[in-house]
């Protein structure tokens, strides 16, 4: 971890490099909570350290209408509305923020154990530095899961104590190199005599004990009240000041019952005149003055589970003599005689230590100095400089990796549900003619009309989705629409399908591409294999038989492979069709011949270039080899698929060959643009390889490609739109292409259907876990 001790200069300055815009995510004043104060102070300190940069704040609102925020608060969201978290991520992505800095405390975010924040962080494209204000030693299963997922999503985790870092390593399995220690920031105030400020509060000549912060029963103030009689007996001029409003959440549920109980307790003990409440949320300057007036500061918390305390840090930074219970943060910060620790729930111990400090002012003053000097590295200018260095480290590391290095534990964890299948966007793109090719954002773009390629893919989806959504009555109608399109596309004289149909429904070509011919055969074959509607089965079979002879004359490898996949599916329904069997063997031999002509040990590929939809070629050869009992075909297909998986895996995640140049033999592979079509192609092929061989590595290969849609990719960006069931049109160097066309959407939906089936067909013990961006964040559980 980073050391908390540095050589302090009088005015630390961060040397600016590539950080132009930082978003702080948490709360902000005037909301009354510790995270709000911390975030506001950090934003102010960062601005002073790097005035050329912009520091925004994204805040959670816990009340309708929010608060009257200052201008640096740029985005507000309701903590209980999940959709707001995604909108916040979109806002930050579109505004090209360089680094996001999350202030994490379970209770300020919505969902069980604050899980909603995972949706926001998981969709960010920039590095994420998370400050953990709570790290539990004995978390519930939900808390453990949430924090582990957050750790996987974050580039750095900032802890406010070394104890928190130990917990992260030992309990949450966070790598050491991901953890950075930075003190809780404090104001830089002078070391002054307490009597200097006492007259401002009417306590001159009195001994002042102070506790400040939001009041709630876990603060243990009643134990100090119970200690007062013994203290007042020896020093009757003592006054105990309790500064702060009741915590808003406590106030909503219980009103001022806790404060009233403390007053009643003081009256019953005869110390009512020695207890003073200041029921207000003070500004930073007034807080400094209250602290300045205190002789002893007390934090009497009732249990150890507090890993940081801004109030304790502030008191130490002001050079106060401190008495505290031994919660984790206090035990660490007050070590080496920087304060006095007393047992929990022990008023007698509190009174003993306070009296000893009153009795021994020289020792009390020496303890004050030790605390004050120890916290010089915690003043806000120092802390802001350290945060800026961590931001830069996270950003540079992301740049060096050319993507996000996901933990391999993603593929080793236990299996969990895949996202829910939603067909909203599919229905939006589909009219009575067929599915439209393109969309502008998620709005259908009528200018480009339709194509056979996409309607064939949509037909496959409508055929397979019935296993996942058996009660969806619209699937039959959708199949009928896509079948009707293929019927309209077929030129019965030639047996060839036209491809491009403008929105005016007049064909612009007599013969479509070979790929569209192969995809139509593939779609019809799957429909025939899966068909239960007699009318649709009859039309699909007729169309298939009309178009099947043309497959023998196709020259492109992908069109041959697609046709071969269609024949495999068709023959599962009509195994005795001798012409289909002859054509299957013919096409399989042609694929094998292409490998023989081009493939070598170092380049086991049937072409001199790796382009698009690559998994279809080994997929088709593998299935044909299995059906024909041809081990040579099987082995060539498996070797090629294995090579593709290796080629497109980097740093533990899927990196498809980019369309901007592809990968020419002997050259450099293009990194972008990355297409959903390739991810689906690899998922389809790997699932088939697992079915044929039983080898579990193919399941991991499929999962790797599937997780590319869910954020495990170069940009750490979601490609799938889980709200409507669409998919963005790939990844570009600067982010996702936010249009949601048919090809991309169908690639995602087909992948989702196949992974859902894979889950259903396998035991939970055997299958690794499918997870989202975090490495451990299951989307359906967020």
């Amino acid at each position: 971890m980073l050391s908390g001790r540095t050589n302090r200069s009088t005015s630390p300055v961060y040397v600016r490099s590539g950080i132009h815009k930082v978003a702080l995510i948490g709360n902000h004043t005037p909301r009354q909570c510790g995270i709000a104060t911390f975030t506001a102070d950090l934003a102010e300190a960062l601005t002073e350290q790097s005035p050329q940069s912009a520091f925004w704040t994204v805040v959670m609102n816990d009340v309708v209408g929010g608060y009257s925020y200052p201008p640096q608060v740029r985005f507000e969201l309701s903590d209980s509305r999940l959709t707001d978290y995604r909108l916040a991520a979109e806002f930050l992505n579109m505004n090209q923020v360089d680094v996001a800095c999350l202030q994490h405390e379970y209770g300020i975010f919505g969902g069980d154990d604050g899980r909603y924040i995972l949706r926001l962080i998981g969709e960010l494209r920039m590095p994420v530095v998370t400050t953990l204000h709570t790290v539990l030693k004995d978390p519930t299963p939900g808390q453990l899961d949430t924090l582990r997922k957050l750790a996987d999503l974050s580039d750095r985790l900032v802890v406010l104590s070394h104890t928190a870092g130990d917990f992260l390593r030992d309990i949450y399995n966070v790598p050491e190199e991901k953890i950075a220690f930075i003190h809780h920031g404090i104001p830089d105030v002078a070391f002054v005599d307490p009597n200097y400020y006492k007259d401002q509060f009417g306590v001159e000549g009195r001994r002042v004990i102070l506790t400040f912060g939001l009041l709630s029963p876990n603060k243990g103030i009643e134990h100090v009240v119970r200690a007062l009689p013994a203290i007042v007996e020896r020093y009757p001029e003592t006054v105990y000041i309790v500064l702060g409003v009741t915590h808003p959440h406590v106030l909503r549920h219980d009103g001022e019952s806790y404060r009233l109980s403390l007053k009643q307790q003081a009256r019953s003990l005869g110390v009512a005149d020695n207890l003073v409440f200041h029921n207000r949320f003070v500004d930073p300057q007034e807080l400094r003055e209250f602290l300045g007036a205190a002789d002893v500061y007390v934090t009497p918390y009732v249990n150890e589970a507090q890993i940081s305390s801004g109030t304790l840090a502030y008191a130490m930074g002001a050079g106060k003599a401190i008495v505290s219970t031994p919660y984790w943060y206090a035990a660490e910060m007050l070590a080496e005689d920087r304060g006095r620790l007393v047992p929990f729930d022990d008023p007698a111990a509190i009174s003993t230590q306070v009296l000893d400090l009153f009795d021994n002012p020289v020792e009390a003053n020496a303890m004050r100095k030790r605390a004050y000097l120890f916290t010089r590295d915690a003043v806000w200018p120092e802390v802001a400089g350290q945060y800026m260095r961590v931001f830069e480290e996270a950003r540079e590391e992301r740049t060096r990796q050319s993507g996000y290095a996901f933990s391999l534990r993603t593929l080793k964890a236990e299996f969990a549900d895949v996202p829910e299948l939603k067909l909203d966007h599919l229905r939006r793109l589909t009219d009575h003619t067929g599915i439209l090719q393109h969309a502008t954002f998620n709005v259908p773009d009528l200018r480009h009309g339709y194509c056979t390629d996409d309607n064939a893919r949509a037909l496959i989806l409508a055929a397979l989705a019935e296993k996942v959504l058996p009660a969806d009555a619209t699937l039959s109608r959708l199949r009928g629409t896509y079948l009707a399109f293929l019927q309209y596309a077929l030129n019965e004289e030639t047996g060839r399908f036209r491809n491009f149909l403008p929105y005016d429904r007049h064909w612009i070509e007599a013969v479509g591409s070979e790929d569209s011919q192969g995809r139509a055969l593939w779609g019809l074959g799957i429909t025939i294999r899966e068909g239960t509607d007699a009318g649709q089965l009859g039309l699909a079979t007729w169309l298939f038989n009309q178009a099947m002879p043309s497959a023998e004359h196709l020259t492109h490898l992908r069109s041959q492979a697609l046709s071969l996949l269609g024949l495999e599916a068709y023959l599962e329904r009509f195994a005795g069709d001798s012409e289909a069997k002859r054509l299957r063997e013919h096409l399989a031999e042609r694929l094998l011949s292409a490998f023989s002509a081009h493939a070598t040990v170092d380049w086991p590929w049937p072409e001199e270039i790796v382009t698009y939809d690559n998994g279809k070629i080994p997929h088709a050869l593998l299935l044909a080899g299995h059906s024909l009992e041809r081990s040579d075909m099987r082995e060539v297909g498996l070797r090629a698929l294995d090579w593709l998986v290796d080629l497109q895996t980097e740093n533990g995640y899927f990196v498809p060959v980019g369309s901007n140049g592809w990968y020419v033999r002997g050259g450099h592979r293009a990194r972008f643009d990355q297409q959903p079509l390739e991810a689906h192609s690899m998922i389809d092929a790997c699932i088939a390889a697992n079915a044929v061989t039983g080898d579990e590595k193919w399941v991991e290969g499929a999962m790797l490609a599937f997780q590319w849609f869910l954020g495990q990719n170069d940009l750490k960006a979601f490609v799938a739109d889980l709200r409507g069931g669409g998919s963005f049109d790939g990844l570009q160097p600067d982010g996702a292409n936010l249009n949601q066309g048919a090809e991309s959407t169908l690639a995602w939906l087909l992948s989702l259907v196949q992974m859902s089936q894979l889950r259903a067909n396998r035991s939970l013990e055997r299958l690794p876990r499918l997870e989202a961006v975090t490495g451990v964040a299951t989307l359906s559980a967020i």
Side-chain angles (χ1 to χ4, degrees):
M1 289 183 289
L2 297 178
S3 170
R5 307 294 297 170
T6 60
N7 294 322
R8 180 173 180 258
S9 64
T10 56
S11 180
V13 176
Y14 168 73
V15 179
R16 181 176 179 269
S17 56
I19 303 294
H20 303 281
K21 198 178 296 181
V22 175
L24 304 177
I25 304 171
N27 295 332
H28 198 286
T29 53
R31 179 171 173 176
Q32 296 176 354
C33 75
I35 300 295
T37 301
F38 182 95
T39 306
D41 289 345
L42 177 59
E44 181 180 352
L46 288 168
T47 301
E48 291 177 359
Q49 284 293 299
S50 184
Q52 308 95 327
S53 303
F55 297 94
W56 295 354
T57 306
V58 174
V59 297
M60 313 293 134
N61 283 331
D62 62 339
V63 294
V64 177
Y67 301 87
S68 181
Y69 292 113
Q72 59 264 35
V73 174
R74 293 293 303 274
F75 196 93
E76 303 173 41
L77 59 151
S78 170
D79 60 7
S80 62
R81 191 160 54 227
L82 181 57
T83 54
D84 282 11
Y85 289 79
R86 180 181 177 90
L87 293 173
E90 290 178 357
F91 175 81
L92 297 180
N93 288 335
M94 290 182 178
N95 280 281
Q96 299 181 320
V97 169
D98 294 307
V99 176
C101 183
L102 171 68
Q103 307 306 311
H104 182 262
E105 173 71 63
Y106 290 105
I108 69 172
F109 305 111
D112 294 340
D113 304 303
R115 297 178 67 85
Y116 283 3
I117 192 59
L118 300 176
R119 174 62 60 86
L120 192 164
I121 301 302
E123 298 193 21
L124 294 178
R125 294 201 293 263
M126 71 290 300
V128 176
V129 174
T130 295
T131 302
L132 297 173
H133 293 264
T134 294
V135 183
L136 299 173
K137 184 179 180 181
D138 297 301
T140 66
Q143 291 167 336
L144 178 67
D145 188 53
T146 296
L147 190 51
R148 280 181 171 171
K149 290 170 180 175
L150 183 60
D152 282 340
L153 283 167
S154 302
D155 297 74
R156 287 289 189 281
L157 297 174
V158 173
V159 292
L160 306 179
S161 68
H162 293 290
T163 304
D166 295 339
F167 288 174
L168 286 182
R169 288 192 308 275
D170 300 339
I171 300 168
Y172 298 86
N173 302 319
V174 176
E176 172 78 25
E177 60 273 14
K178 217 173 199 184
I179 303 169
F181 168 75
I182 301 178
H183 273 297
H184 190 299
I186 58 173
D188 193 359
V189 299
F191 186 88
V192 299
D193 186 287
N195 293 310
Y196 183 82
Y197 287 109
K198 288 184 178 180
D199 61 330
Q200 294 182 214
F201 305 109
V203 292
E204 61 272 20
R206 304 188 71 174
R207 296 178 186 270
V208 176
I209 304 170
L210 176 69
T211 295
F212 83 86
L214 297 173
L215 263 66
S216 61
N218 67 338
K219 294 299 175 67
I221 293 171
E222 63 273 16
H223 300 302
V224 186
V225 175
R226 288 169 58 194
L228 274 179
I231 299 170
V232 170
E233 183 179 1
R234 189 182 306 176
Y235 294 98
E237 74 276 16
T238 299
V239 61
Y240 178 35
I241 297 177
V242 179
L243 173 63
V245 299
T246 299
H247 194 290
H249 292 173
V250 175
L251 192 62
R252 274 184 223 127
H253 292 96
D254 302 317
E256 290 286 7
S257 59
Y258 181 58
R259 188 186 301 272
L260 292 174
S261 73
L262 294 173
K263 290 181 178 181
Q264 291 169 0
Q265 183 184 41
R267 280 194 294 270
S268 69
L269 294 172
V271 291
D273 292 339
N274 302 89
L275 176 62
V276 176
F277 284 98
H278 286 273
N279 186 8
R280 52 201 174 93
F281 197 84
V282 296
D283 62 42
Q285 179 57 36
E286 193 173 10
L287 175 58
R288 295 186 189 105
E289 293 168 357
F290 268 105
L291 279 168
D295 295 286
V296 175
Y297 184 79
V298 183
T299 56
Y301 300 157
V302 299
N303 62 63
E304 66 176 357
Q306 182 139 345
I307 207 67
S308 69
S309 169
T311 62
L312 179 63
Y314 275 44
M316 293 181 70
K320 296 293 101 180
I322 297 170
V323 175
S324 176
T325 50
Y327 54 92
W328 296 322
Y329 188 69
E332 179 176 321
M333 293 291 285
L334 299 180
E336 300 178 0
D337 296 322
R338 293 186 290 269
R340 301 281 181 86
L341 296 177
V342 298
F344 295 107
D345 304 332
D346 194 339
I350 294 174
S351 62
T352 297
Q353 292 300 328
V354 171
L355 287 170
D356 187 61
L357 291 171
F358 285 172
D359 291 342
N360 297 284
V362 174
E363 169 55 26
N365 195 61
M367 188 171 72
R368 291 177 56 212
K369 287 183 178 179
R370 287 190 290 271
Y372 183 80
L373 293 173
F374 178 77
T375 53
R376 292 311 86 201
D377 289 339
V379 297
W380 277 116
E382 291 282 350
V383 166
Q386 292 178 49
Y387 268 97
M388 289 301 294
R389 286 188 284 276
V390 171
F391 294 162
E392 190 60 44
E393 287 173 10
R395 194 162 188 267
E396 288 178 357
E397 184 176 288
R398 179 76 69 88
T399 302
R400 285 197 305 271
Q401 292 174 343
S402 298
Y404 190 76
F406 293 92
S407 169
L408 291 178
R409 73 188 295 272
T410 301
L411 296 178
K412 304 300 182 184
E414 66 179 90
F415 182 72
D417 290 342
V418 297
E420 178 186 359
L421 178 63
K422 293 185 177 180
L423 302 180
D424 300 18
H425 189 54
L426 178 77
R427 296 187 183 101
R428 186 183 300 128
L429 289 174
T430 302
D431 61 15
H432 68 278
T433 299
I435 189 168
L436 289 150
Q437 287 190 78
H438 296 293
T440 303
F441 295 100
N442 66 347
V443 179
D445 187 342
L446 308 183
R447 296 171 298 173
H448 301 282
Y450 317 82
C451 70
T452 293
D453 277 317
D454 290 335
N455 278 274
R457 294 185 183 103
L459 180 59
I460 295 172
L461 176 68
L464 296 178
E466 205 158 67
K467 293 181 178 179
V468 180
L469 300 173
D472 191 335
T474 66
L475 288 172
S476 178
R477 181 183 59 77
L478 290 171
R479 281 195 304 274
T481 298
Y482 305 137
L483 269 173
F485 184 94
L486 294 185
Q487 181 182 30
Y488 185 46
L490 181 69
N491 184 331
E492 295 181 35
E493 295 180 1
T494 63
R496 290 292 299 269
F497 291 94
R498 306 171 182 89
N499 193 18
F500 295 112
L501 179 67
Y503 194 64
D504 65 7
R505 279 75 164 181
H506 292 91
W507 294 105
I508 60 173
E509 57 189 3
V511 178
S513 67
E514 288 198 358
D515 274 11
S516 66
Q517 188 74 13
R519 282 198 184 86
L521 285 168
W522 179 35
L524 291 167
I526 295 293
T527 303
I528 292 165
R529 185 188 70 192
E530 303 292 332
T532 57
D533 182 292
Q536 292 179 358
L537 176 60
L539 176 57
T541 303
W542 181 81
L543 290 170
F544 188 89
N545 282 297
Q546 290 293 308
M548 183 174 65
S550 67
E552 189 163 1
H553 308 292
L554 298 175
T555 59
H556 298 151
L557 293 183
R558 280 162 191 77
S559 58
Q560 293 170 9
L562 290 163
S563 299
L564 189 50
L565 289 172
L567 285 162
E568 283 289 338
Y570 171 84
L571 285 166
E572 288 189 48
R573 184 74 178 245
F574 299 116
D577 190 324
S578 56
E579 177 58 20
K581 290 192 290 185
R582 183 199 67 79
L583 186 55
R584 174 178 63 185
E585 185 169 5
H586 172 75
L587 291 175
E589 290 286 4
R590 290 177 67 183
L591 284 182
L592 185 63
S593 296
F595 276 98
S596 300
H598 293 274
T600 64
V601 173
D602 296 331
W603 183 269
W605 193 241
E607 298 176 304
E608 296 300 300
I609 185 172
V610 178
T611 56
Y612 63 94
D613 212 6
N614 296 296
K616 286 293 179 288
I617 296 174
H619 181 186
L621 188 60
L622 172 62
L623 287 189
H626 181 68
S627 298
L628 296 170
E629 298 183 350
R630 289 279 300 273
S631 61
D632 53 342
M633 292 180 179
R634 272 182 39 141
E635 294 310 313
V636 169
L638 288 170
R639 186 162 57 250
L641 183 58
D642 197 33
W643 180 74
L644 277 180
V645 170
D646 185 65
L647 174 69
Q648 298 184 109
T649 300
E650 189 172 317
N651 295 325
Y653 62 99
F654 183 64
V655 184
V657 170
S659 62
N660 188 20
W662 306 117
Y663 178 33
V664 179
R665 186 173 190 169
H668 297 287
R669 54 166 291 183
R671 193 122 191 150
F672 295 99
D673 294 350
Q674 298 177 16
Q675 300 296 325
L677 180 65
E678 183 64 14
H680 169 248
S681 174
M682 294 300 292
I683 291 167
D684 207 4
C686 286
I687 290 175
N690 173 256
V692 169
T693 67
D695 192 333
E696 292 299 298
K697 76 175 185 179
W698 299 115
V699 176
E700 294 190 1
M703 295 171 78
L704 209 66
F706 184 71
Q707 289 164 337
W708 177 87
F709 286 103
L710 303 180
Q712 293 208 10
N713 51 53
D714 270 341
L715 301 183
K716 200 183 175 187
F718 272 66
V719 181
D721 176 8
L722 302 184
R723 290 179 299 177
S727 170
F728 300 128
D729 284 348
L731 294 181
Q732 300 167 330
D734 58 349
N737 179 336
L738 298 181
N739 297 328
Q740 297 182 27
E743 178 184 290
S744 301
T745 292
L746 290 163
W748 159 242
L749 293 175
L750 285 167
S751 299
L752 183 52
V753 165
Q754 288 164 314
M755 296 307 285
S756 298
Q757 281 300 108
L758 182 63
R759 177 200 61 187
N761 293 338
R762 301 170 62 85
S763 70
L764 298 183
E765 291 78 19
R766 291 181 59 198
L767 198 62
R769 185 176 190 167
L770 291 175
E771 317 202 321
V773 169
T774 65
V776 286
T778 306
L779 288 173
S780 60
I782 296 177

